[in-house]
Structure formats: C-alpha cells, structure tokens
Amino acid sequence: MRSQRPPYVRLLPVTVVACASLALSGCGAVLDRVSGDDETSSPSPTAAGSSASQAQGGSIDLEDVEAATIQIVAEGTFIDPEFGEQTNSAGAGSGFIIDPEGIAVTNNHVVTGAAFLEVFVGGSTDPVNARVLGVSECSDLAVIDLDGGDYPSLRWSNGSADAGLDVYAAGFPLGDPEFTLTRGIISKAEAGGETNWASVDSVLEHDATINPGNSGGPLVDDTGAVVGVNYAGNSETRQQFAIASSEAQTIVEQLRAEEDVTSLGINGQAIFDETSGTTGVWVASVESGTPADTVGIEPGDIVTQLENINIATEGDMSEYCDVLRSRTLTDVLQVEVLRYATSEVLEGQFNGDPLVPVTSFAQELGGGEDGTATGGDATYGEYVSIQDDTGAVSVDVPAEWSDIDGAPYTGEDGIDRVDVRAAPSLEAFAGGWDTPGMILTASSGLAASSTPEAVLDQLGASGSEVCTYEGRQPYEDQLYSGVYDIFTNCGGTAATYVIVSAAPADGSFIVSVQVQANAERDYEAIDRILSTFVVTGSV
C-alpha cells in the first residue's frame, strides 16, 4: 500500500459562514445598483443630510453644471450578500459629461455588470442609451458613451484642491430626478481612499452633503470646473469623499480609449469576518466578456485568493488592487473562489484556465468529532519545498517531516519511477500506522501500460485488509484527472490514508500521491501537499 502517492491537487478548506455574521458592512450593505446606489463601507457611502439645497453665493454657473450633470439608471440582476438575488433591479447614480460627443464620467460601481443603462441629461424625462467604454474597479471610475451628440460638457480643474476651497456637489441623490446642488469646502486634500469597494491612494474630503445616488457626480469649484468625482460619504461623521481630478484625469483618458484599468470585470465589495476568518471580495455582478466572466466567476461568489495571497484581510480592497496594479490586464492570474451558494471551493486563472471545483480533504475528512485522527498541535508552523533526486518533481511538506528520500526506483514490473517521500521518520512511517508521511511518484512508463484506475487498484490492494475502505471518487484539478481512494482506521488506529492516482490531459505520465494523517493538523498537510505538487522534469 505504501509505494506511491496522489497528484497535484488544489485542496483548500471550505469555510462557509452565515451572511449575518460577516463584519465591516460585508453583509449589511446593499450594493449600489441593487438599491438606489446605497454604498456602504468604511468610510460609509451613505452621506449626511436629507435633500440638498441650492448653492448660495460664489460665481458658479449653475445652469452649465446642471446641464452637463446626468442621472444614470442601471438595470440588471445582482446578488447582494444580505438580500440575495435582485432580479431586474434598477439603481440610480450620477455622472457628468466631459465631451460634447457624449463622453461622460461616473463610478465603476454605478455601471459595471448592468444589463443596460438609461441616462437622463439635464433633467430631461426622456432617457438616452449609453454603453460602457472602460472601467476601473480599483479607482472606482468608469467612462460611458451616450447616444447622440452636441451635449453640454464640463471641464476639469487643473488647479490645486487645497483645504478651504469652496466646492459644490452636483447630482441626483436618492433616485430623485430633480437636480440637486450642495455647497461646502475641501476639509482635507489627501484623505485615505481605501474602502470596501475601491482602493484609491488618496481622495478629497469635503463637507458638501452627498447621499446615495450622488455617486459618480461632479464636485466642482466656484467656476464650474470639476475638482473631483464623488464616490463615498460617512453620515455619522458628516464626511464626504471625492476622487481628485488630478487622480481621475489620467485614468479617464485610458477608459475613454476603451481600455480597462485595474479591473477584471467584477462589481463587488470586500467582506471580512473575524470569527470565521472568511475574507474576500463578494461578487454582486460580472461584466460579460471580461476576464472574470470567461474564468467562470458568478454573482454570489467570494473571491478569496488572488495570485495565492488572501485578499480583503483588512476589510478593504487594497490587497486585491495591489495585485492588479502589479500586472497587466492580460496577465494570467491564479484565483480561488468560494461559491457561497453551493459551499464549493474553485480555482482557475484569469486569462487562463477556467474555474474547476477543488477537493479539500481537510474539509471532507475533518478531525476529532467524527472519530478520525486527533491530537498534536493545531497546525504545522512551517512548510518546506522538497524535490526528488532528479529534480523532476517538487512538493511542500511540513518542516517536521525532515526524513526525506528522493531516490528513483524500478518496480517489480520493470518500469522506472521518480519518487520522493517524507515523514518525521521514514522507518516508522513504513513500519506502522502511528507516524504521518507522504510518498509522491510519477512515471511515463506506467502511462504506456496502465491507467490511473489500475495504478490505484494496485496501490490500495492491501488497504481493505488493514483499513476501513471509504470508497473511490473521481479526481480532477487544473492539471490532472483521475481517481482517489480513502482508507480510515488503518491498523486498528485512527490513521487515515489517502491515495490519488491521475494523469495530465495528454496522458504522458501517471502520478500518484499517498498521504497518511494521524493528527488533525495532518489533514491540513494533505491539502498543502496536493496543492503544491508539480512535475517540472522528465519522469
């Protein structure tokens, strides 16, 4: 039974928590297009004040600002972490025209994932259609193109937006079709811009009242020039926030050229639950044809890892956006997703392999209450990467499994195999059932004369004599497909033994991994072993 082991597997524990337990607005917030642009975050996107009043004083040309400020009604189907699926739901945000040909600026969260947009210009009751030219999830900016032309437009301010500058917030808050303008001052020129739906290095803080529905609308100075794009507010502290024109202009130029920036096609928000440890980006909607769409991400998914790092660990989008900013939009990015509706963990690659379900033996087998192995420390503190003597295969194992043998061997069938095995003591691992360990074997010769199923039959032939056989299941990950067997209560102990046998799509070799678990932390080790195995040389 102990001569080979399972293949490359992405095995990660599934953690599913009730929506009510998610912290930092993760489940308590209705995403903008679900309910009238109701943004929540830290800072909360709900602004102080009720209806806005018309600005008084200053030299602002109110008619020009009103004529170029638009109301955007986005309709689509979204899945909210608190309220569930919102079918054919419409939400309203604001925006402003920057080019007479109908080029307008708004927030990403106002438009991404909508089935269609209706835009009302200058208080008109007759909407015009618009299409999205480009979006930036991380900067929360979007550029849309309105049907028709000869529109009134606003210009960007090229001056400095210093504290004390008089400003006016224009838009259509609370879904009201009547234009609203409020007055205030810049209170801070470089406030923190991290929220649970965007990641901006710094933003303008001001006290011109905004409410849900103001998102994407202009913040203008007393000449009517745009000094910022409103995107968030905090009703408790009466702080409002806008993306500064100096930050927005460069990004907007890229977006109007139909080039997305730091964006994968997701409209979502960071969630963070301290109790369960669940962190990630909750996906409310996905834009068709984007990397998120083609990899298979669906509304209601939680993106938990990007490029093998956990994201949203601080309850905001900073980690997610840091990864995007270090890559191009066409780079292949590893992604892990928790499909909340089915409790599945999936892995795939943006611009690469589509999402596939992954098995978590730690989740499937558990530990303790079900009678399987218990005892020992809760986790292994350190893992190390090991290779066989030829350097053909490598895998991560607990550092405590320091007794390693990487010698190749020739089986009784005359077929050569590369092989690496590790345990706290290989002698104890091979001679009994009280010591955990693992064996990884790969062979191209086996592929010429056998199948993964037949290899697994051979490896587990004696298992049913000394263990309880729990059955065979199909196995598939991004690289390999095959089968795996699980044996429990081996040798009259609580030991669990897992054997996987699989092959790549071209069938050029067969790989097997065997892992024994004797304590709860060994189940975590199984997942780590199978998620890190890779064949890099000739086998």
Side-chain angles (χ1 to χ4, degrees):
M1 191 170 166
R2 293 182 179 172
S3 57
Q4 304 181 11
R5 299 262 170 131
Y8 176 88
V9 195
R10 295 291 184 180
L11 306 181
L12 294 165
V14 181
T15 303
V16 180
V17 295
C19 235
S21 70
L22 294 176
L24 295 185
S25 303
C27 260
V30 178
L31 293 180
D32 308 306
R33 285 164 303 188
V34 175
S35 177
D37 189 32
D38 178 16
E39 318 144 26
T40 55
S41 153
S42 180
S44 164
T46 306
S50 53
S51 62
S53 60
Q54 182 172 334
Q56 298 177 356
S59 58
I60 183 172
D61 189 330
L62 176 59
E63 291 184 359
D64 286 350
V65 174
E66 180 176 0
T69 301
I70 59 177
Q71 184 177 41
I72 302 168
V73 176
E75 184 162 334
T77 296
F78 309 91
I79 296 184
D80 179 77
E82 181 177 9
F83 301 105
E85 183 172 314
Q86 310 288 303
T87 304
N88 287 16
S89 177
S94 300
F96 56 96
I97 301 169
I98 59 170
D99 188 304
E101 293 301 312
I103 305 300
V105 176
T106 186
N107 288 145
N108 168 75
H109 72 258
V110 173
V111 298
T112 292
F116 64 90
L117 305 175
E118 289 185 329
V119 178
F120 298 85
V121 181
S124 171
T125 58
D126 296 321
V128 297
N129 291 326
R131 71 183 184 95
V132 177
L133 295 181
V135 298
S136 174
E137 292 168 24
C138 294
S139 296
D140 198 17
L141 291 169
V143 172
I144 62 176
D145 185 7
L146 282 57
D147 286 350
D150 196 23
Y151 289 103
S153 61
L154 296 179
R155 59 184 173 84
W156 294 103
S157 169
N158 291 318
S160 59
D162 298 324
L165 178 70
D166 287 331
V167 290
Y168 305 83
F172 298 87
L174 307 174
D176 191 335
E178 184 175 354
F179 175 76
T180 303
L181 194 72
T182 58
R183 182 183 183 183
I185 62 168
I186 299 292
S187 51
K188 189 179 293 185
E190 294 185 358
E194 300 293 346
T195 68
N196 70 348
W197 74 94
S199 175
V200 185
D201 286 341
S202 65
V203 294
L204 301 175
E205 180 184 316
H206 64 90
D207 62 1
T209 299
I210 61 175
N211 275 291
N214 273 113
S215 279
L219 183 72
V220 300
D221 62 19
D222 58 11
T223 70
V226 178
V227 299
V229 184
N230 285 312
Y231 89 123
N234 189 326
S235 59
E236 294 182 359
T237 59
R238 301 187 66 180
Q239 295 168 300
Q240 330 300 331
F241 301 89
I243 304 159
S245 63
S246 57
E247 167 95 9
Q249 286 184 69
T250 301
I251 297 171
V252 164
E253 287 306 305
Q254 293 176 270
L255 302 183
R256 70 182 295 177
E258 303 193 45
E259 175 187 346
D260 289 344
V261 177
T262 55
S263 181
L264 295 169
I266 290 172
N267 184 354
Q269 64 182 33
I271 59 172
F272 176 56
D273 177 44
E274 291 181 340
T275 302
S276 69
T278 299
T279 68
V281 175
W282 177 282
V283 180
S285 61
V286 176
E287 188 75 17
S288 297
T290 60
D293 178 41
T294 56
V295 77
I297 289 178
E298 300 176 358
D301 287 348
I302 302 173
V303 180
T304 54
Q305 286 192 351
L306 195 59
E307 280 296 275
N308 299 309
I309 67 166
N310 296 329
I311 58 175
T313 60
E314 299 297 325
D316 59 38
M317 298 285 282
S318 58
E319 292 147 330
Y320 174 85
C321 291
D322 284 345
V323 173
L324 295 193
R325 291 186 178 111
S326 68
R327 305 292 196 279
T328 70
L329 296 183
T330 58
D331 283 346
V332 176
L333 299 175
Q334 190 75 21
V335 61
E336 176 191 291
V337 170
L338 169 61
R339 184 145 292 163
Y340 190 79
T342 61
S343 302
E344 291 180 285
V345 173
L346 305 99
E347 285 196 347
Q349 297 170 322
F350 292 113
N351 304 310
D353 296 327
L355 290 174
V356 295
V358 295
T359 304
S360 169
F361 288 112
Q363 176 72 18
E364 181 178 344
L365 299 176
E369 294 182 358
D370 61 0
T372 56
T374 58
D377 296 332
T379 61
Y380 285 103
E382 182 183 357
Y383 285 82
V384 295
S385 180
I386 63 171
Q387 292 182 315
D388 73 295
D389 289 352
T390 73
V393 298
S394 64
V395 63
D396 287 0
V397 298
E400 295 177 30
W401 296 9
S402 57
D403 193 0
I404 300 166
D405 182 358
Y409 73 95
T410 302
E412 295 180 358
D413 52 13
I415 297 175
D416 294 334
R417 296 162 171 83
V418 299
D419 183 269
V420 63
R421 51 193 70 196
S425 166
L426 285 174
E427 182 179 0
F429 170 54
W433 295 103
D434 297 321
T435 302
M438 79 103 223
I439 308 170
L440 166 64
T441 305
S443 172
S444 57
L446 279 174
S449 59
S450 190
T451 65
E453 291 81 1
V455 170
L456 187 55
D457 287 340
Q458 183 180 14
L459 291 175
S462 62
S464 58
E465 299 176 5
V466 291
C467 307
T468 301
Y469 180 49
E470 302 294 347
R472 178 166 295 183
Q473 298 292 332
Y475 171 77
E476 184 173 3
D477 62 26
Q478 294 171 11
L479 297 179
Y480 307 110
S481 60
V483 286
Y484 69 90
D485 284 345
I486 296 176
F487 299 86
T488 59
N489 304 313
C490 293
T493 72
T496 295
Y497 207 76
V498 177
I499 313 176
V500 181
S501 180
D506 63 5
S508 58
F509 58 83
I510 293 176
V511 59
S512 61
V513 182
Q514 303 167 67
V515 189
Q516 179 176 313
N518 290 81
E520 189 168 346
R521 63 178 180 168
D522 296 332
Y523 297 115
E524 171 199 280
I526 294 176
D527 284 356
R528 180 65 174 263
I529 288 165
L530 298 178
S531 67
T532 57
F533 163 74
V534 62
V535 176
T536 57
S538 175
V539 296

